[in-house]
Amino acid sequence: MAAAAPPAPPATSPLRGVQPLRAGQGHSFLWRKLHSLSGIVPIGAFLLEHILSNFEALNGPLAYAQQVKFLNSLPLVRVLEWAFIFIPLAFHALYGVFIAFRGRASVNVYPWAGNWMYLMQRVTGLIALAYIVQHVWRQRFSGVSLPEHPGAAFAKVQHELANPWMLAIYIIAMIATCFHFSYGIWLFAAKWGITPGDRARRRSGYVCTALGIVLTVMGLASIYAFVGPKYKNAPADVMSAQPPGVTEPAPEYPVPGSTNPSPSPLQ
């Protein structure tokens, strides 16, 4: 004799838990896709540009100031700043915090590499967020306004890094940010179907690891340029500190058609 089927739950009984999310369904799927995409474009592109721009510090205060001046002279630079940096960064950061606190790390139960990378991606994201908030406030919105005084950029960063605590924060944040970005690229490629299969993801891992190392070395080298002995005690404004006519001095020989030599502007 066949056993009777268990009675179905009443239609009014509450369902416990959350229904599994199927690919391509639900608002969470869309937000996570946008979150993943915003980490590459435009935030990742801006990070690459920022590290390359800061690398100019190795060429001295004047070269760094000229780079800052060039970036702030771009057409509609304030619109670009808000539309492609601040707003996407705010979305990526806030939704990333939501994901980090909503998820659950299980490295104590399943100490696999994937679980550790899951945990490190969220920890480094929180470190990067805390650093970016203070960095943007201190370098962009407080103290000397660098868009109006680009010559003060090197000295402003150098003064901040003179504090050993801030120097340690910059070093830790640089390593964390580069890891977060490079592993984020690997996740983006895997989630968007760019690297299907274990072999493609393994190769992508090598490329992303190499990229992360290169960016970290460049970032740490830029920090050293500010604290190293080569450019110690940079002028408060390297552009206004230059005497007039130094870059293009007048000739010290007689000018054709004149009776007196043209004196040098340094005399």
Side-chain angles (χ1 to χ4, degrees):
M1 181 177 179
T12 58
S13 63
L15 294 176
R16 295 184 179 181
V18 179
Q19 293 296 324
L21 180 65
R22 293 175 174 81
Q25 294 184 4
H27 296 292
S28 179
F29 177 83
L30 175 61
W31 289 121
R32 285 176 178 267
K33 283 290 186 181
L34 292 176
H35 178 259
S36 176
L37 180 62
S38 64
I40 306 300
V41 179
I43 299 174
F46 170 72
L47 175 64
L48 293 175
E49 181 278 321
H50 196 60
I51 290 179
L52 289 174
S53 296
N54 286 341
F55 201 65
E56 277 295 312
L58 274 73
N59 295 323
L62 182 58
Y64 186 71
Q66 290 172 339
Q67 181 70 11
V68 174
K69 182 179 180 180
F70 165 74
L71 293 175
N72 284 279
S73 64
L74 295 175
L76 301 174
V77 62
R78 297 297 161 250
V79 176
L80 297 175
E81 189 177 55
W82 281 95
F84 294 100
I85 300 176
F86 292 149
I87 294 177
L89 183 59
F91 163 74
H92 188 83
L94 294 176
Y95 195 73
V97 170
F98 170 76
I99 294 175
F101 285 98
R102 189 168 179 244
R104 179 181 300 175
S106 57
V107 292
N108 58 330
V109 180
Y110 304 104
W112 300 330
N115 280 352
W116 278 107
M117 297 298 280
Y118 173 91
L119 177 62
M120 291 302 299
Q121 183 70 352
R122 278 138 187 82
V123 171
T124 55
L126 294 175
I127 294 174
L129 173 59
Y131 163 75
I132 290 171
V133 169
Q134 70 84 27
H135 179 69
V136 171
W137 172 253
R138 293 169 68 93
Q139 292 295 323
R140 177 65 179 84
F141 295 107
S142 67
V144 180
S145 179
L146 299 184
E148 287 75 25
H149 304 282
F154 194 96
K156 189 174 183 179
V157 178
Q158 189 177 67
H159 177 73
E160 183 171 357
L161 294 182
N163 185 332
W165 288 103
M166 289 305 301
L167 177 60
I169 290 173
Y170 266 65
I171 292 174
I172 294 172
M174 180 61 64
I175 297 173
T177 303
C178 292
F179 173 89
H180 188 81
F181 174 62
S182 59
Y183 185 59
I185 294 178
W186 186 89
L187 289 174
F188 174 83
K191 291 180 178 179
W192 286 72
I194 301 174
T195 55
D198 293 338
R199 185 177 181 182
R201 291 172 185 170
R202 190 180 305 111
R203 292 180 176 178
S204 174
Y206 296 146
V207 174
C208 292
T209 300
L211 176 63
I213 293 173
V214 170
L215 293 179
T216 301
V217 171
M218 292 179 64
L220 295 179
S222 302
I223 293 175
Y224 179 77
F226 291 103
V227 300
K230 187 175 183 180
Y231 305 113
K232 189 176 181 180
N233 298 324
D237 192 328
V238 68
M239 289 183 170
S240 64
Q242 291 190 94
V246 169
T247 55
E248 295 182 3
E252 299 184 9
Y253 50 83
V255 178
S258 64
T259 56
N260 297 321
S262 299
S264 169
L266 299 180
Q267 294 177 348

